[in-house]
Structures are given as structure tokens and as C-alpha cells.
Amino acid sequence: MHMEEWSTRWLRMQRIKPRTVESYTSLLRLYILPTLGTVELAELSAEAIQVAIAAPLAAGHGRTAEQVYTLLVQLCRAAVRAGHIQASPMDTILRPYHVPTPTAWWAPEDAARYLRLRQLALDPHLVVWVLALCCGLRRGELCGLQWQDIDLDQCTIRVARQRITLADGRTVAAPPKSRSSARTLAISADLASWLAAHRPAAGGYVAISSSTGHPITPGGLDSAWRRAVRAAGMPPITLHGCRHTCGAAAVRAGVAMRVLQDIMGHSSDAITSQIYAHVDQRAQRAALDSITGLMI
């Protein structure tokens, strides 16, 4: 069986989200099948696989190379389980080294300054920006949030869905990113009161396009955020940077990583620590001052 036939069969057997199917299909079409598509599974070698992984690396796309590696690991392990090959050639290949680009965020005082701007009161997406900065919701979660998910009496926000844009241009509702992403946030009474004052009579989705009146797309929300930041003269950060702003503020406030994990919807507090533990250098400086004081 050729690699192309096996990858097509394997992909059909997977119970994965549409966005993941699109991602895998793209990786196969662009990087894996041009090099390995006609290779028999039994003749698949580590040397040939390295060529496929090297292509995105040579183009400076370390994250893509890592994704190609991960997909090939799954394909080869499944081929072993199905009895098509005796051992996975991926067992001898090291994962490509990838250093993610840090996401810029605002310090809590910058976020507070932005939310106090007088002109922000006229922004049709004000509620979305407040939820992004104060609750750390992802872009898709912001787009998928409905007013019925916000219980103002119980002071909770239920993250039950996201809205994503597929490769064909359609924006659809989908389950949250992972099981841990489906969560209920216990918000403050002050935030609940503020949301009550800004809740429209019609309800529906929270993030609405000001031009069409329909739920805004993730890309449209990105554009609206860039315009809002530019008009305010604030340091530019992405909409996802609002999520990191929330996490950084939590670290500065001394929130436990286990609690922050639940707020962010991460699968483990190890992930939360890896992302946010370094954002407040004051805690590091205090610790190193204590150590230095014992030695010099």
C-alpha cells in the first residue's frame, strides 16, 4: 500500500474536527505526499521522511515542520497497529526544534487605561473587549458566546461553543477547542452588573457585526480589534494578546496556576505554567534577591 492510499484511508477513519481535517489535508498535500505519496509503506525510510520534514524547515517554518512530524508519527503508528509495517520509522527521528514567537500583551495598567478611554464607550464591540481582557476568552469563544450563556444572577459565563472559519470561507459553530475548554467562569458581581447594563434587549450572540447585524466572523473581530487599538493609540497587540493580558494580570495578582488553568481552559496546569509563569519578573527578582542574599 502506498503512503497516499494509507493516509487517505487513515484520515477517513479519524473522528476529528473539521478544522483539524483541513489542517491534516493541507499538510499532506503540501509537504508529505509530494515526497512520500508513491512510497510503499513497507519501504518507508527515515531518510525519505527527513526530506519531507526538511522542506518546511528550509523555508523557515519551524512550527509547520513540527506539525508534519506529528502527523507522520500518527500515520506510522497507525500503520504498525494495522499490521502494514513492523516498526515505525519515526521512532528514530527527532522532533524538529521550534521556538514559538512570544505573543505580546499589555500590562494590567495598560489594559485599565484602555478600558477607561472615553471614546471606547461608543465602540460596538466594547463588551467583547472587556470579556477578552478580563476573562481571557479565545477569539473563537468570543465569537461563539451568546447572551444566554451569561447568567447574570449566578455571575457565571458558560463557554459552550466557538465559531470558526473553514477553508471554504464558511463560518460555523463548533464545540470548544478541547474538553477542558468547555468551562464555566465565575465572574465578579461588579462585572455581572456591568454586563447587565450593556446587555441588548434582543440577546443572541455577543459579538455582532456593526455593518450587517449578524454574528461577526473571527477574522472580522480581528480587524475590529486592530482598528480599535489603532484609534486609541495603544501599543499594538493581537486579539489573542488580550487573553495573555488576562493571564499576565492573574500571575501578578498571585492567582494559583491550578486556578488559572481552569480560567484559561488548559488541559493541565503544566501548560499554564509554561505560558504564564515568566510574565511577571518581579516574582523572579524577589526570588533571586533572596538567593543572592544568602551568598553575597
Side-chain angles (χ1 to χ4, degrees):
M1 182 184 297
H2 292 122
M3 185 65 166
E4 183 171 7
E5 181 184 352
W6 171 242
S7 62
T8 301
R9 182 182 300 184
W10 176 84
L11 198 55
R12 280 201 299 260
M13 293 187 296
Q14 303 310 300
R15 298 179 60 185
I16 50 181
K17 299 175 182 177
R19 178 72 69 82
T20 306
V21 172
E22 289 185 341
S23 175
Y24 286 172
T25 302
S26 177
L27 292 171
L28 286 164
R29 176 175 56 85
L30 294 175
Y31 301 104
I32 297 176
L33 296 184
T35 303
L36 305 174
T38 60
V39 178
E40 290 281 348
L41 286 176
E43 298 175 0
L44 197 60
S45 66
E47 291 77 11
I49 290 173
Q50 289 282 21
V51 173
I53 296 175
L57 277 177
H61 303 312
R63 174 57 179 155
T64 301
E66 189 176 46
Q67 291 171 327
V68 169
Y69 171 90
T70 301
L71 179 53
L72 283 167
V73 167
Q74 295 184 70
L75 286 166
C76 290
R77 287 179 178 173
V80 172
R81 291 194 298 271
H84 297 305
I85 55 178
Q86 294 297 315
S88 170
M90 295 300 297
D91 291 343
T92 62
I93 299 176
L94 296 177
R95 177 186 291 271
Y97 183 68
H98 165 63
V99 179
T101 303
T103 300
W105 65 84
W106 286 336
E109 53 270 21
D110 290 328
R113 179 163 58 91
Y114 175 70
L115 293 178
R116 285 196 297 264
L117 291 175
R118 186 175 303 173
Q119 69 264 32
L120 192 60
L122 302 176
D123 192 317
H125 304 297
L126 173 60
V127 171
V128 181
W129 309 151
V130 168
L131 292 174
L133 289 166
C134 296
C135 298
L137 298 183
R138 299 178 177 92
R139 182 186 66 169
E141 295 169 351
L142 291 166
C143 290
L145 187 67
Q146 299 181 16
W147 282 104
Q148 67 182 18
D149 301 319
I150 304 176
D151 190 327
L152 298 175
D153 295 325
Q154 298 298 318
C155 299
T156 60
I157 295 177
R158 184 170 61 99
V159 180
R161 76 194 66 78
Q162 61 175 334
R163 293 184 75 239
I164 59 175
T165 301
L166 302 177
D168 60 9
R170 291 181 298 127
T171 299
V172 299
K177 183 179 179 182
S178 63
R179 282 190 296 180
S180 54
S181 297
R183 61 200 187 278
T184 298
L185 303 175
I187 61 175
S188 70
D190 287 343
L191 179 54
S193 298
W194 186 90
L195 290 170
H198 290 79
R199 178 173 186 165
Y205 281 94
V206 175
I208 299 294
S209 170
S210 57
S211 59
T212 67
H214 298 303
I216 196 168
T217 65
L221 197 61
D222 273 336
S223 298
W225 171 252
R226 287 194 297 269
R227 289 193 300 270
V229 172
R230 187 165 53 246
M234 294 291 295
I237 63 170
T238 64
L239 182 55
H240 193 71
C242 293
R243 176 172 165 84
H244 286 283
T245 298
C246 177
V251 171
R252 182 177 293 189
V255 174
M257 283 295 159
R258 181 63 182 83
V259 177
L260 184 55
Q261 171 200 343
D262 290 339
I263 294 172
M264 295 289 108
H266 291 150
S267 58
S268 72
D269 56 2
I271 294 175
T272 311
S273 297
Q274 183 179 12
I275 297 173
Y276 294 111
H278 67 286
V279 300
D280 191 356
Q281 291 186 341
R282 294 181 304 174
Q284 294 182 11
R285 184 169 291 110
L288 289 174
D289 282 348
S290 299
I291 295 170
T292 304
L294 296 174
M295 300 182 185
I296 60 174

